[in-house]
Amino acid sequence: MARLRAAAPAAESVAEVVGDPCYDRILASLDDRPRYRDALRTGNRTLVYVSSTWFRNALLGSWPDLLRRLMAELPVDSYQVTLALHPNIWHGHGPWQVRSWLADCVRAGMILLPEIDGWRTGLIAADIVIGDHGSVTGYGAALGRPTLLATFADEDIDPRSPLADLAASATRLDRARRLRPQIEAALREHDPRRLERFQASITSVPGQALDRLRTLFYRLLDLDQPPGEPPLTVLPAWTPAEPAPLALQVSTVLDRRTRRIRLTRRPAIALGDPEPGDEAAPHLLCPVDHPQRTLRAEAAIITAESRDDRAGDWARATLRRHPGAVIAAILSPHAAIAEFRDGSVWHLSAPDVPADALPSALCAWHLAGLPLAELGNACALQLGDTTYDVAIRRSTP
């Protein structure tokens, strides 16, 4: 009101402070965060929420390869990446063009949030926000999420606005450095108190916008206001379509003494170099129906979803068609049947484990030159921060 008074004194007498109904609906839905994460299939992964406003100085316009770098660096068992785009991007270029630009990232596992239904629930579900000078970045910071600025158009933002306060307090993402360490540092060092001034500036009347708006409208219409409170509907959970077949580059660390196998899995089609680490040389896992033929041709493991009969015939035929493959594996929920070229068949299972990780454990052990018999009837499989006990059984083909 003070700024309005200075800019347009004649408007002060008819101005009202009513709040922010969009922010109020987000606040009303915060308790449903576990449901929104379940709908996105996040699990115990860190959800990285990327937001871009529109025009060339926004995140997508000024740093278009950021998404591909994120997909290349972030292991799929530890991180999930979602993207929210300003409606002007969707409508300025058209949905077909937007999806075409981002198709490789979507094939690598990124979730493209819908313009209307998904961006708010995705923001509630997020663990960290990477954004620009758009309002969605501001909402994420207002919710107390660690916030990294990939870019910020200071010239487009009033220096007295809340977003200018955010720009002064939020950490800038350095494009010259690896992204994963910066994300991990932001999560580790996050202090919500740094955002308190910004949070307070979003609205002075949180949770009151609908009441104030209804009171204002009925007063202007010279009508009696109805009894009761206006409804504030909790946001519906949005579930993306089943993910497309995902080809994975799998790096490994083996402990022969404890039969512990650590896998670091990244999308094979993401552009950019993966983060260096202590893992052994990676192998490639590819679904048999993956659309990129070169990945299928180079894969050490070819997978297919559960088949009720003639599984052995499928595996042998698949290994003949893919001479570079070491294993053909049939996947079912939390289990896999892996067949090698020598005809040996291995059954692996573990509660809650991603099924496509199981044949990679066998492949890693085999490619390291270690006898599979050493694994016995069990091994420990580590994905991200979670370790699974895997049951192993060998059978004749």
Short mmCIF file of all heavy atoms in Angstrom, two decimals, residues 194-228:
data_model
loop_
_atom_site.label_atom_id
_atom_site.label_comp_id
_atom_site.label_asym_id
_atom_site.label_seq_id
_atom_site.Cartn_x
_atom_site.Cartn_y
_atom_site.Cartn_z
N ARG A 194 17.41 -17.90 6.53
CA ARG A 194 17.86 -16.99 5.48
C ARG A 194 16.70 -16.50 4.62
O ARG A 194 16.79 -15.46 3.98
CB ARG A 194 18.89 -17.68 4.58
CG ARG A 194 20.21 -17.99 5.24
CD ARG A 194 21.15 -18.68 4.27
NE ARG A 194 21.41 -17.86 3.09
CZ ARG A 194 22.03 -18.29 2.00
NH1 ARG A 194 22.41 -19.56 1.94
NH2 ARG A 194 22.24 -17.48 0.98
N LEU A 195 15.61 -17.28 4.60
CA LEU A 195 14.47 -16.95 3.74
C LEU A 195 13.33 -16.29 4.50
O LEU A 195 12.28 -16.01 3.91
CB LEU A 195 13.97 -18.23 3.06
CG LEU A 195 14.96 -18.91 2.12
CD1 LEU A 195 14.40 -20.25 1.64
CD2 LEU A 195 15.30 -18.03 0.92
N GLU A 196 13.49 -16.06 5.80
CA GLU A 196 12.37 -15.55 6.60
C GLU A 196 11.87 -14.21 6.10
O GLU A 196 10.65 -13.98 6.00
CB GLU A 196 12.78 -15.46 8.07
CG GLU A 196 12.86 -16.82 8.76
CD GLU A 196 13.31 -16.71 10.20
OE1 GLU A 196 13.70 -15.58 10.62
OE2 GLU A 196 13.30 -17.73 10.91
N ARG A 197 12.78 -13.31 5.75
CA ARG A 197 12.35 -11.98 5.28
C ARG A 197 11.56 -12.12 3.97
O ARG A 197 10.52 -11.47 3.79
CB ARG A 197 13.56 -11.09 5.07
CG ARG A 197 13.21 -9.72 4.48
CD ARG A 197 14.46 -8.87 4.31
NE ARG A 197 14.16 -7.66 3.56
CZ ARG A 197 15.08 -6.75 3.22
NH1 ARG A 197 16.35 -6.93 3.58
NH2 ARG A 197 14.75 -5.69 2.52
N PHE A 198 12.04 -13.00 3.09
CA PHE A 198 11.32 -13.20 1.84
C PHE A 198 9.97 -13.84 2.08
O PHE A 198 8.96 -13.43 1.50
CB PHE A 198 12.16 -14.07 0.91
CG PHE A 198 11.42 -14.47 -0.33
CD1 PHE A 198 11.22 -13.57 -1.35
CD2 PHE A 198 10.91 -15.75 -0.47
CE1 PHE A 198 10.53 -13.92 -2.50
CE2 PHE A 198 10.22 -16.12 -1.60
CZ PHE A 198 10.03 -15.20 -2.61
N GLN A 199 9.90 -14.84 2.94
CA GLN A 199 8.64 -15.52 3.21
C GLN A 199 7.59 -14.54 3.74
O GLN A 199 6.42 -14.60 3.35
CB GLN A 199 8.87 -16.65 4.22
CG GLN A 199 9.68 -17.81 3.65
CD GLN A 199 10.16 -18.75 4.73
OE1 GLN A 199 10.43 -18.35 5.86
NE2 GLN A 199 10.29 -20.03 4.39
N ALA A 200 8.01 -13.65 4.60
CA ALA A 200 7.07 -12.69 5.18
C ALA A 200 6.56 -11.69 4.15
O ALA A 200 5.48 -11.11 4.32
CB ALA A 200 7.74 -11.95 6.35
N SER A 201 7.33 -11.51 3.06
CA SER A 201 6.92 -10.50 2.07
C SER A 201 5.99 -11.07 1.00
O SER A 201 5.47 -10.30 0.19
CB SER A 201 8.17 -9.91 1.40
OG SER A 201 8.85 -10.90 0.64
N ILE A 202 5.76 -12.38 0.98
CA ILE A 202 4.87 -12.96 -0.02
C ILE A 202 3.45 -12.42 0.17
O ILE A 202 2.78 -12.00 -0.76
CB ILE A 202 4.89 -14.49 0.06
CG1 ILE A 202 6.22 -15.02 -0.47
CG2 ILE A 202 3.74 -15.12 -0.73
CD1 ILE A 202 6.42 -14.84 -1.96
N THR A 203 2.96 -12.48 1.39
CA THR A 203 1.64 -11.92 1.70
C THR A 203 1.58 -11.61 3.18
O THR A 203 2.12 -12.35 4.01
CB THR A 203 0.50 -12.89 1.32
OG1 THR A 203 -0.74 -12.35 1.80
CG2 THR A 203 0.70 -14.26 1.92
N SER A 204 0.93 -10.52 3.52
CA SER A 204 0.76 -10.17 4.93
C SER A 204 -0.48 -10.83 5.53
O SER A 204 -0.71 -10.73 6.74
CB SER A 204 0.65 -8.64 5.08
OG SER A 204 -0.42 -8.16 4.27
N VAL A 205 -1.27 -11.51 4.69
CA VAL A 205 -2.50 -12.14 5.18
C VAL A 205 -2.58 -13.57 4.68
O VAL A 205 -3.51 -13.95 3.96
CB VAL A 205 -3.76 -11.33 4.78
CG1 VAL A 205 -3.86 -10.06 5.59
CG2 VAL A 205 -3.74 -11.01 3.28
N PRO A 206 -1.63 -14.43 5.02
CA PRO A 206 -1.67 -15.81 4.52
C PRO A 206 -2.93 -16.53 4.97
O PRO A 206 -3.38 -16.40 6.12
CB PRO A 206 -0.41 -16.43 5.14
CG PRO A 206 -0.07 -15.58 6.30
CD PRO A 206 -0.50 -14.20 5.94
N GLY A 207 -3.52 -17.27 4.05
CA GLY A 207 -4.72 -18.05 4.35
C GLY A 207 -6.01 -17.26 4.35
O GLY A 207 -7.08 -17.83 4.57
N GLN A 208 -5.97 -15.97 4.04
CA GLN A 208 -7.17 -15.14 4.14
C GLN A 208 -7.69 -14.62 2.80
O GLN A 208 -8.69 -13.89 2.75
CB GLN A 208 -6.89 -13.94 5.05
CG GLN A 208 -6.47 -14.30 6.46
CD GLN A 208 -6.19 -13.05 7.29
OE1 GLN A 208 -6.92 -12.06 7.22
NE2 GLN A 208 -5.12 -13.09 8.07
N ALA A 209 -7.05 -14.97 1.70
CA ALA A 209 -7.39 -14.33 0.42
C ALA A 209 -8.84 -14.57 0.01
O ALA A 209 -9.53 -13.62 -0.41
CB ALA A 209 -6.44 -14.83 -0.67
N LEU A 210 -9.34 -15.78 0.12
CA LEU A 210 -10.70 -16.06 -0.34
C LEU A 210 -11.73 -15.32 0.52
O LEU A 210 -12.73 -14.79 -0.01
CB LEU A 210 -10.97 -17.56 -0.33
CG LEU A 210 -10.15 -18.39 -1.32
CD1 LEU A 210 -10.61 -19.84 -1.31
CD2 LEU A 210 -10.25 -17.82 -2.73
N ASP A 211 -11.51 -15.30 1.82
CA ASP A 211 -12.44 -14.56 2.69
C ASP A 211 -12.45 -13.07 2.33
O ASP A 211 -13.52 -12.46 2.24
CB ASP A 211 -12.04 -14.73 4.16
CG ASP A 211 -12.16 -16.17 4.62
OD1 ASP A 211 -13.28 -16.61 4.92
OD2 ASP A 211 -11.13 -16.87 4.66
N ARG A 212 -11.29 -12.49 2.14
CA ARG A 212 -11.20 -11.07 1.85
C ARG A 212 -11.79 -10.74 0.48
O ARG A 212 -12.46 -9.72 0.30
CB ARG A 212 -9.74 -10.60 1.94
CG ARG A 212 -9.23 -10.50 3.37
CD ARG A 212 -7.73 -10.26 3.42
NE ARG A 212 -7.31 -9.91 4.77
CZ ARG A 212 -7.03 -8.68 5.19
NH1 ARG A 212 -7.12 -7.67 4.35
NH2 ARG A 212 -6.67 -8.46 6.44
N LEU A 213 -11.51 -11.61 -0.50
CA LEU A 213 -12.06 -11.37 -1.83
C LEU A 213 -13.59 -11.47 -1.82
O LEU A 213 -14.28 -10.64 -2.42
CB LEU A 213 -11.48 -12.38 -2.82
CG LEU A 213 -10.04 -12.11 -3.29
CD1 LEU A 213 -9.49 -13.32 -4.01
CD2 LEU A 213 -10.00 -10.88 -4.19
N ARG A 214 -14.13 -12.48 -1.15
CA ARG A 214 -15.59 -12.61 -1.12
C ARG A 214 -16.23 -11.42 -0.42
O ARG A 214 -17.24 -10.86 -0.89
CB ARG A 214 -16.00 -13.91 -0.44
CG ARG A 214 -17.51 -14.15 -0.52
CD ARG A 214 -17.93 -15.50 -0.03
NE ARG A 214 -17.82 -15.62 1.42
CZ ARG A 214 -18.39 -16.60 2.13
NH1 ARG A 214 -19.07 -17.55 1.51
NH2 ARG A 214 -18.25 -16.65 3.43
N THR A 215 -15.65 -11.00 0.70
CA THR A 215 -16.19 -9.84 1.40
C THR A 215 -16.17 -8.60 0.50
O THR A 215 -17.15 -7.84 0.44
CB THR A 215 -15.38 -9.59 2.68
OG1 THR A 215 -15.50 -10.71 3.54
CG2 THR A 215 -15.86 -8.33 3.39
N LEU A 216 -15.07 -8.41 -0.22
CA LEU A 216 -14.95 -7.26 -1.11
C LEU A 216 -16.00 -7.31 -2.22
O LEU A 216 -16.68 -6.32 -2.51
CB LEU A 216 -13.54 -7.23 -1.70
CG LEU A 216 -13.30 -6.21 -2.82
CD1 LEU A 216 -13.51 -4.78 -2.31
CD2 LEU A 216 -11.91 -6.39 -3.40
N PHE A 217 -16.16 -8.47 -2.86
CA PHE A 217 -17.08 -8.59 -3.99
C PHE A 217 -18.52 -8.34 -3.56
O PHE A 217 -19.28 -7.63 -4.25
CB PHE A 217 -16.96 -9.96 -4.64
CG PHE A 217 -15.61 -10.21 -5.29
CD1 PHE A 217 -15.15 -11.51 -5.45
CD2 PHE A 217 -14.82 -9.16 -5.72
CE1 PHE A 217 -13.92 -11.74 -6.04
CE2 PHE A 217 -13.59 -9.39 -6.30
CZ PHE A 217 -13.14 -10.69 -6.47
N TYR A 218 -18.92 -8.91 -2.44
CA TYR A 218 -20.30 -8.73 -2.00
C TYR A 218 -20.54 -7.28 -1.57
O TYR A 218 -21.64 -6.74 -1.75
CB TYR A 218 -20.64 -9.71 -0.87
CG TYR A 218 -21.09 -11.06 -1.41
CD1 TYR A 218 -20.17 -12.06 -1.66
CD2 TYR A 218 -22.43 -11.29 -1.69
CE1 TYR A 218 -20.56 -13.28 -2.18
CE2 TYR A 218 -22.84 -12.51 -2.21
CZ TYR A 218 -21.91 -13.50 -2.46
OH TYR A 218 -22.31 -14.70 -2.98
N ARG A 219 -19.53 -6.64 -1.02
CA ARG A 219 -19.69 -5.23 -0.67
C ARG A 219 -19.85 -4.38 -1.93
O ARG A 219 -20.70 -3.48 -1.98
CB ARG A 219 -18.49 -4.75 0.15
CG ARG A 219 -18.68 -3.34 0.72
CD ARG A 219 -17.54 -2.90 1.60
NE ARG A 219 -16.39 -2.48 0.81
CZ ARG A 219 -15.19 -3.04 0.90
NH1 ARG A 219 -14.98 -4.06 1.72
NH2 ARG A 219 -14.19 -2.59 0.17
N LEU A 220 -19.05 -4.67 -2.96
CA LEU A 220 -19.17 -3.91 -4.20
C LEU A 220 -20.51 -4.16 -4.88
O LEU A 220 -21.06 -3.26 -5.54
CB LEU A 220 -18.03 -4.30 -5.15
CG LEU A 220 -16.62 -3.88 -4.72
CD1 LEU A 220 -15.57 -4.47 -5.65
CD2 LEU A 220 -16.49 -2.36 -4.69
N LEU A 221 -21.04 -5.37 -4.74
CA LEU A 221 -22.35 -5.69 -5.32
C LEU A 221 -23.52 -5.24 -4.44
O LEU A 221 -24.68 -5.37 -4.83
CB LEU A 221 -22.46 -7.21 -5.55
CG LEU A 221 -21.54 -7.78 -6.63
CD1 LEU A 221 -21.50 -9.30 -6.55
CD2 LEU A 221 -22.02 -7.35 -8.01
N ASP A 222 -23.20 -4.72 -3.25
CA ASP A 222 -24.23 -4.29 -2.29
C ASP A 222 -25.19 -5.43 -1.95
O ASP A 222 -26.41 -5.28 -1.93
CB ASP A 222 -25.00 -3.09 -2.84
CG ASP A 222 -25.79 -2.37 -1.73
OD1 ASP A 222 -25.40 -2.52 -0.55
OD2 ASP A 222 -26.77 -1.68 -2.06
N LEU A 223 -24.60 -6.60 -1.71
CA LEU A 223 -25.37 -7.79 -1.35
C LEU A 223 -24.89 -8.31 -0.01
O LEU A 223 -23.75 -8.07 0.40
CB LEU A 223 -25.20 -8.89 -2.40
CG LEU A 223 -25.75 -8.61 -3.80
CD1 LEU A 223 -25.33 -9.73 -4.76
CD2 LEU A 223 -27.27 -8.49 -3.75
N ASP A 224 -25.80 -9.02 0.66
CA ASP A 224 -25.42 -9.66 1.91
C ASP A 224 -24.51 -10.85 1.63
O ASP A 224 -24.80 -11.68 0.76
CB ASP A 224 -26.66 -10.13 2.68
CG ASP A 224 -27.51 -8.97 3.16
OD1 ASP A 224 -26.93 -7.88 3.39
OD2 ASP A 224 -28.73 -9.15 3.31
N GLN A 225 -23.45 -10.96 2.39
CA GLN A 225 -22.52 -12.07 2.21
C GLN A 225 -23.14 -13.35 2.76
O GLN A 225 -23.73 -13.35 3.84
CB GLN A 225 -21.22 -11.76 2.94
CG GLN A 225 -20.11 -12.77 2.71
CD GLN A 225 -18.79 -12.29 3.28
OE1 GLN A 225 -18.46 -11.11 3.20
NE2 GLN A 225 -18.05 -13.20 3.87
N PRO A 226 -23.03 -14.47 2.04
CA PRO A 226 -23.60 -15.72 2.55
C PRO A 226 -22.86 -16.20 3.79
O PRO A 226 -21.69 -15.85 4.00
CB PRO A 226 -23.42 -16.68 1.37
CG PRO A 226 -22.31 -16.11 0.56
CD PRO A 226 -22.42 -14.63 0.72
N PRO A 227 -23.53 -17.00 4.59
CA PRO A 227 -22.88 -17.51 5.81
C PRO A 227 -21.82 -18.55 5.46
O PRO A 227 -21.77 -19.09 4.35
CB PRO A 227 -24.04 -18.13 6.58
CG PRO A 227 -25.02 -18.53 5.53
CD PRO A 227 -24.92 -17.48 4.46
N GLY A 228 -21.01 -18.88 6.44
CA GLY A 228 -19.98 -19.89 6.25
C GLY A 228 -18.75 -19.33 5.58
O GLY A 228 -18.68 -18.16 5.22
#
